[in-house]
Amino acid sequence: VSPGSCWAFKGHQGQVVIKLPARVHLTAITVQHITKDASPSGTVISAPKEIAVFVSLLGTSGGGVDADGEEEYLLVTFTYNVEKEPMQTFPLKDVLPPRAFSYVKLLVKSNWGNPWYTCIYRVQVHGR
């Protein structure tokens, strides 16, 4: 993970849908950003802050139901804390429907203050 080598999107809100290689029973989500020490500006205001994670069997088109009528499920919302370790894992135990999913949507609702862009350096999906 090096400064600038990230998935950046304009503004403080954005989303990405990740197609998994197979259906997965999810157990956790990990999000990573760089540290203040690694940042050329000495800040990490481009880091995501409030994040929601959704899953579905088919790709989503927004609004809770995808183009083929498959519902997406909100799994968890969490806050990525820039004062903690740069790689943070958020467990999903006891929040999942008892089935495997093919798609994960990461919805970034806000960042830590950068008005121009938000950066995500790594997202990991854990499961079986």
Side-chain angles (χ1 to χ4, degrees):
V1 178
S2 58
S5 297
C6 68
W7 171 64
F9 55 87
K10 187 176 179 178
H12 63 276
Q13 294 182 337
Q15 67 182 21
V16 62
V17 176
I18 301 165
K19 182 178 183 195
L20 303 172
R23 287 188 181 180
V24 176
H25 289 274
L26 279 76
T27 58
I29 298 285
T30 297
V31 176
Q32 184 175 0
H33 195 271
I34 59 171
T35 63
K36 288 180 185 177
D37 292 341
S39 173
S41 68
T43 70
V44 287
I45 61 173
S46 68
K49 185 176 182 181
E50 298 297 326
I51 300 172
V53 178
F54 297 83
V55 290
S56 70
L57 287 171
L58 304 169
T60 59
S61 61
V65 178
D66 71 17
D68 294 316
E70 173 66 31
E71 291 185 30
E72 65 180 21
Y73 299 95
L74 172 64
L75 289 186
V76 67
T77 59
F78 57 85
T79 301
Y80 179 88
N81 187 338
V82 293
E83 298 301 324
K84 292 185 177 180
E85 293 296 316
M87 185 177 283
Q88 297 173 29
T89 300
F90 303 92
L92 301 174
K93 61 183 175 188
D94 302 326
V95 298
L96 290 173
R99 59 198 269 202
F101 292 95
S102 301
Y103 291 85
V104 176
K105 179 168 79 174
L106 193 75
L107 173 66
V108 177
K109 298 179 172 184
S110 65
N111 67 20
W112 284 93
N114 189 316
W116 301 286
Y117 62 91
T118 302
C119 283
I120 296 177
Y121 282 83
R122 183 173 291 148
V123 174
Q124 294 175 318
V125 177
H126 309 273
R128 57 191 186 317

